[in-house]
């Protein structure tokens, strides 16, 4: 994690922006050999030469079309060569940039990014309740602090492993070297537990923010459903009451019409 744009030493990368956080993931090489790339460039050059000839026949200067064709072939060739290389990130420099190499820390940080995406998904619906810019700064700061802790933990992990290997000896327990080693192991274990507690606090706060936003959205959806149901029930109630009054009235009017018709028929 770095506050500066991360560039590639070779290959290509896929960038996914979430607010002010941009995830950079190297893309797998295309696997196209040099012969395949040269063959494609040759075919493209031939097609562009035909196009240049057609454009020249309709009055467009041939040198303009040829310059565009050369530029396009060069661009495609460079991009194909770049795509064929293995993606390698240029590691950022500085105390405010962190590189996670250990699989355990990378997995934990990846889970934090997943929860952070859930938090960001709730912001559009809560735009009238929160300041999205301030929330983005707070979330970015939490992810930066978590990256710093994870970077420390992978260093502590390596030191724990080294001390664990060194503790396998046949020296007596009262040896000064053995006692010094045991003391350092205790200090390392204390650092290990403290960084775990700090990381869990940050993860818990991010997860709590996600759950709070999602619960509020569910509550709003349920409230809208209840209001819509109330309106629909009111309409159905009014519609159901109308036939009860109009049915007898229709029968009375029909009977009156029939009685009048019979009276007219009797007079004739």
């Amino acid at each position: 994690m770095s506050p500066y744009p991360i560039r590639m030493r070779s290959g290509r990368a896929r960038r996914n922006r979430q607010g002010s956080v941009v995830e950079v993931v190297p893309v797998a090489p295309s696997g196209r050999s040099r012969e395949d790339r040269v063959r494609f460039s040759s075919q493209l050059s031939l097609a562009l030469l035909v196009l240049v000839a057609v454009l020249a026949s309709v009055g467009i200067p041939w040198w303009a079309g040829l310059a565009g064709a050369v530029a396009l072939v060069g661009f495609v060739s460079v991009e194909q060569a770049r795509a064929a290389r293995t993606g390698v990130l240029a590691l950022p420099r500085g105390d405010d940039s962190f590189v996670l190499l250990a699989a355990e820390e990378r997995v934990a940080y990846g889970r934090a990014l997943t929860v952070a995406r859930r938090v960001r998904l709730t912001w559009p619906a809560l735009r009238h309740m929160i300041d999205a810019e301030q929330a983005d700064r707070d979330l970015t700061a939490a992810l930066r602090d978590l990256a710093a802790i994870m970077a420390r933990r992978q260093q502590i992990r390596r030191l724990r492993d080294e001390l664990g290997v060194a503790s396998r000896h046949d020296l007596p327990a009262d040896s000064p070297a053995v006692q010094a080693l045991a003391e350092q192991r205790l200090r390392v274990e204390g650092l290990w537990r403290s960084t775990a507690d700090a990381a869990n606090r940050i993860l818990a706060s991010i997860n709590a923010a996600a759950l709070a936003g999602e619960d509020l959205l569910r509550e709003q959806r349920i409230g809208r459903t209840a209001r819509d149901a109330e309106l629909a029930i009111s309409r159905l109630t009014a519609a159901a009451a109308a036939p009860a009054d109009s049915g007898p009235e229709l029968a009375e009017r029909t009977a009156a019409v029939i009685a009048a018709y019979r009276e007219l028929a009797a007079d004739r």
Side-chain angles (χ1 to χ4, degrees), residues 17-22 120 123 136 140:
R17 174 177 290 276
Q18 294 288 335
S20 60
V21 177
V22 181
R120 295 181 188 279
W123 289 349
D136 179 72
T140 302

Side-chain angles (χ1 to χ4, degrees), residues 134-170:
Q134 182 61 46
D136 179 72
R137 287 192 293 268
D138 294 340
L139 181 58
T140 302
L143 292 174
R144 182 177 60 250
D145 294 342
L146 181 61
I149 294 173
M150 290 301 173
R152 287 184 60 199
R153 280 183 65 81
Q154 67 182 3
Q155 295 176 355
I156 297 172
R157 182 189 299 277
R158 288 195 295 266
L159 185 56
R160 289 178 77 225
D161 294 340
E162 293 175 1
L163 294 178
V165 173
S167 64
R168 301 168 188 168
H169 51 74
D170 296 329

Side-chain angles (χ1 to χ4, degrees), residues 106-143:
R106 293 176 61 184
V107 169
Y109 195 75
R111 292 173 180 171
L113 290 177
T114 301
V115 179
R117 293 190 187 98
R118 289 170 49 198
V119 174
R120 295 181 188 279
L121 289 176
T122 63
W123 289 349
L126 304 177
R127 59 186 180 275
H128 301 301
M129 305 179 186
I130 63 173
D131 185 352
E133 294 184 0
Q134 182 61 46
D136 179 72
R137 287 192 293 268
D138 294 340
L139 181 58
T140 302
L143 292 174

Side-chain angles (χ1 to χ4, degrees), residues 9-31:
R9 290 188 181 275
S10 64
R12 297 181 302 170
R14 182 180 68 254
R15 289 172 170 81
N16 181 26
R17 174 177 290 276
Q18 294 288 335
S20 60
V21 177
V22 181
E23 183 182 11
V24 182
V25 181
V27 176
S30 63

